[in-house]
């Protein structure tokens, strides 16, 4: 017999830092019945395998490890009585907010949600491996998989390591493998700039004498059963390998840290509009997606550099989800005013804003498309510049933000476009 459908006010999909902060905010905003669904056997998400410190500097003014940061949110969720189901995989979300789950304990369950918060995090890109010639021997790991093996399962994936890609996980794993007694020959990055935070380049590579080879990539992988060597070559401006620059590095392990992608299968199944740039949902000032009552936050929305920003953003999604669930909702067909990313700005989150529905101020987050020195971040309301802030250095690996003030937006009659862009001076 088919089970009766359950009902909950706010259903949060994913129990990582985004899901936890959203659930806490929803509960604090008065939603009585908040349920977190997590496929893993514990809450905390990717933070559970991040045993290095550096988390929570903004939120707690302390340097916490990943599990410590997560524990603070789990404790708060416990205090507030946030319900959770672990070992529970969400397999479908309908546009009408019916969430289908599968678990060993309960089998298939269907839950009708007053509001849904998407907080499924992201996955690692495999791209670097697929584009590289050679066999597919053992010894090729994504950096996140290697991190899980070392930090949670007590396994050392290799002893002589080359890392392709300079995303934060790769940088952190360069240090981790060195501390565990492995030798990391180099980190090769195809772009002329690193994809990771400056502080991670200093603390994880420079401090350990590990070279970062910018504008370099892996052009060959040797070994049939196990990796025996990789060849690295310099690339030209078109990212094509330059003949004659090849250097062979004998090694037993190649780690890939070539970027992260929002985990968006469920967003798709719910019919949520996705951004071609972030690959996460398109959202408004409430972090509501194109499907009413479905909100998104954390790495499923856009890939973050610092968890503090994940928590801040998720609190907005949780609060708005609680409000939505309380209803009644007036149908709102207007998408608000578009926030346009231009000249050096790759995207903005949110991508449209309704000044009548926003709070006194709104944080708009974005990333730049290259390394820039001594540029100004400018905000235009139509053709009028209202912000012009100098930044000494900006890089794609670091998230940037501007704060929009509601009175400014309301004072601008007939506002049709908000533009965020970089300018020389
Ligand atoms: C290696 C590494 C190092 C980092 N270092 C730092 C650092 O030093 N400082 C810092 O501030 N930040 C750091 N970060 C960034 C920070 O950890 C992330 O930004 C943050 O964890 C993202 O939170 P999230 O909740 O969006 O995603 P996640 O932490 O990935 O959580 C998503 C959760 O959703 C669950 N889930 C996914 N799909 C489903 C489904 N279908 N059903 C049920 N559950 C599902 C997953 O199991 C997971 O628990 C690091 C990240 C990594 C990967």
């Amino acid at each position: 017999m088919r089970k009766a459908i359950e009902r909950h006010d706010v259903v949060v999909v994913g129990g990582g830092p985004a899901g936890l902060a959203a659930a806490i905010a929803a509960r604090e905003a008065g939603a009585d019945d908040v349920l977190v669904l997590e496929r893993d056997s514990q809450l905390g998400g990717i933070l559970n395998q991040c045993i290095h410190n550096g988390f929570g500097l903004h939120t707690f003014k302390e340097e916490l490890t990943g599990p410590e940061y997560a524990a603070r949110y789990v404790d708060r969720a416990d205090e507030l009585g946030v319900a959770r189901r672990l070992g529970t995989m969400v397999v479908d979300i309908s546009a009408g907010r019916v969430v289908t789950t599968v678990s060993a304990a309960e089998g298939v369950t269907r839950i009708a949600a007053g509001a849904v918060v998407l907080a499924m995090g992201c996955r690692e890109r495999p791209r670097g491996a697929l584009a590289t010639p050679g066999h597919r021997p053992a010894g090729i790991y994504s950096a996140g998989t290697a991190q899980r093996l070392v930090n949670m399962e007590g396994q050392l994936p290799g002893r002589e390591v080359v890392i392709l890609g300079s995303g934060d996980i790769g940088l952190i794993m360069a240090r981790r493998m060195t501390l565990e007694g492995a030798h990391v020959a180099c980190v090769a990055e195809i772009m002329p700039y690193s994809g990771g935070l400056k502080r991670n380049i200093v603390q994880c590579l420079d401090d350990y004498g590990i070279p970062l080879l910018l504008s370099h990539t892996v052009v060959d992988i040797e070994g049939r059963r196990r990796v025996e060597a990789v060849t690295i070559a310099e690339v030209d401006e078109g990212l094509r390998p330059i003949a004659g620059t090849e250097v062979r590095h004998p090694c037993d392990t190649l780690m890939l840290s070539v970027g992260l992608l929002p985990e968006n299968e469920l967003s798709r199944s719910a019919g949520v509009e996705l951004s071609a740039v972030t690959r996460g949902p398109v959202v408004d000032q409430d972090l509501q997606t194109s499907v009413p009552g479905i909100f998104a936050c954390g790495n499923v929305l856009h890939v973050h550099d610092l968890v503090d920003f994940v928590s801040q953003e998720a609190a907005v999604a949780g609060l708005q989800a609680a409000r939505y669930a309380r209803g009644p909702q007036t149908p709102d067909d207007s998408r608000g005013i578009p926030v346009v990313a231009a000249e050096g700005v790759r995207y903005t989150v949110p991508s449209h804003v309704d000044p009548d529905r926003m709070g006194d101020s709104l944080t708009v987050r974005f990333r730049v498309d290259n390394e820039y020195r001594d540029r100004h971040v400018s905000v235009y309301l139509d053709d009028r510049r209202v912000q012009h802030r100098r930044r000494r250095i900006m890089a794609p690996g670091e998230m940037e933000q501007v704060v929009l003030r509601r009175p400014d937006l309301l004072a601008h009659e007939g506002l049709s476009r908000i533009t965020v862009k970089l300018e020389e001076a």
Side-chain angles (χ1 to χ4, degrees):
M1 198 180 67
R2 197 163 183 177
K3 279 191 229 163
I5 194 160
E6 291 176 40
R7 286 181 198 282
H8 295 277
D9 293 346
V10 176
V11 172
V12 179
V13 185
L20 286 167
I24 289 167
R27 196 72 189 81
E28 286 175 341
D32 289 330
D33 179 13
V34 179
L35 174 65
V36 177
L37 301 169
E38 169 55 54
R39 67 184 171 191
D40 211 336
S41 56
Q42 59 180 334
L43 296 172
I46 200 76
L47 294 185
N48 290 319
Q49 67 182 62
C50 298
I51 62 172
H52 57 282
N53 61 358
F55 293 84
L57 278 168
H58 295 257
T59 311
F60 299 111
K61 312 283 176 263
E62 283 179 66
E63 280 218 45
L64 304 173
T65 63
E68 284 169 335
Y69 186 93
R72 300 221 174 166
Y73 284 85
V74 174
D75 289 350
R76 182 70 184 138
D78 288 346
E79 275 169 28
L80 292 168
V82 171
R84 80 280 321 249
R85 264 176 224 165
L86 302 177
T88 301
M89 177 92 180
V90 175
V91 291
D92 188 60
I93 303 172
S94 75
R97 300 189 303 281
V98 174
V99 177
T100 306
T101 71
V102 177
S103 71
E106 304 197 38
V108 176
T109 306
R110 292 173 77 233
I111 302 168
V116 172
V117 179
L118 305 173
M120 293 89 73
C122 60
R123 64 171 65 160
E124 295 180 281
R125 266 180 208 263
R127 184 187 58 185
L130 297 179
T132 310
H135 295 284
R136 291 290 171 268
I140 304 177
Y141 297 88
S142 73
T145 303
Q147 185 181 52
R148 189 177 172 96
L149 285 171
V150 176
N151 291 351
M152 297 188 79
E153 294 173 28
Q155 309 280 345
L156 193 64
R159 300 210 161 266
E160 189 63 38
V161 184
V162 168
I163 299 179
L164 173 62
S166 61
D168 286 313
I169 318 180
L171 300 177
I172 282 160
M173 282 312 289
R175 174 176 65 184
R176 188 83 195 108
M177 293 299 287
T178 308
L179 291 173
E180 290 297 333
H183 175 249
V184 179
C186 60
V187 174
E189 167 59 61
I190 195 165
M191 301 307 286
Y193 49 78
S194 165
L197 291 169
K198 179 75 186 153
R199 79 169 198 219
N200 282 337
I201 297 170
V202 174
Q203 293 172 4
C204 301
L205 300 188
D206 298 353
D207 286 358
Y208 294 85
I210 301 168
L212 171 60
L213 307 177
L214 297 176
S215 299
H216 280 73
T217 192
V218 170
V219 291
D220 192 26
I221 302 169
E222 290 174 46
R224 275 195 169 268
R225 292 171 67 81
R226 172 91 200 189
V227 174
E228 288 167 11
V230 300
T231 302
I232 291 178
E234 203 175 332
V235 296
D236 62 20
E237 283 179 0
L239 306 184
R240 288 174 299 263
I242 303 171
T245 62
E246 298 87 354
V247 175
R248 183 175 180 274
H249 294 269
C251 61
D252 57 23
T253 302
L254 173 65
M255 265 181 212
L256 305 169
S257 180
V258 291
L260 301 166
L261 283 176
E263 182 82 58
N264 50 29
E265 271 74 13
L266 291 175
S267 316
R268 262 199 212 102
S269 81
V272 159
E273 180 187 345
L274 298 178
S275 152
V277 183
T278 62
R279 311 282 188 96
V282 169
V283 292
D284 65 10
Q285 71 286 332
D286 297 339
L287 304 184
Q288 183 168 219
T289 68
S290 58
V291 177
I294 300 187
F295 299 77
C297 56
N299 278 354
V300 81
L301 178 55
H302 59 132
V303 174
H304 290 66
D305 52 358
L306 294 181
V307 73
D308 305 78
F309 301 140
V310 168
S311 305
Q312 286 170 16
E313 183 184 273
V316 173
L319 167 73
Q320 297 301 340
R323 286 189 180 154
Y324 187 96
R326 227 176 5 246
Q329 291 83 41
T330 41
D332 179 15
D333 294 335
S334 78
R335 295 202 63 184
I337 293 157
V339 184
V340 180
E343 289 163 57
V345 175
R346 282 187 61 224
Y347 69 86
T348 65
V349 171
S351 61
H352 47 279
V353 173
D354 182 345
D356 291 325
R357 289 171 49 217
M358 69 185 266
D360 286 343
S361 64
L362 174 73
T363 301
V364 174
R365 298 201 158 91
F366 65 93
R367 284 189 195 251
V368 296
D369 63 3
N370 209 329
E371 252 185 6
Y372 294 98
R373 280 173 195 276
D374 289 322
R375 292 289 169 105
H376 284 69
V377 176
S378 301
V379 177
Y380 283 76
L381 303 184
D382 292 329
D383 294 329
R384 188 163 69 85
R385 190 163 77 192
V386 291
Q387 286 187 39
H388 191 55
R389 186 171 47 97
R390 180 170 170 260
R391 296 278 287 120
R392 208 173 59 73
I393 186 151
M394 285 179 281
E398 323 230 347
M399 251 170 49
E400 300 287 335
Q401 63 180 53
V402 291
V403 177
L404 301 180
R405 286 176 6 93
R406 183 166 186 251
D408 292 344
L409 305 194
L410 290 178
H412 189 97
E413 224 170 282
L415 178 62
S416 65
R417 188 179 72 247
I418 301 165
T419 307
V420 183
K421 64 180 173 185
L422 305 188
E423 292 182 311
E424 293 277 354

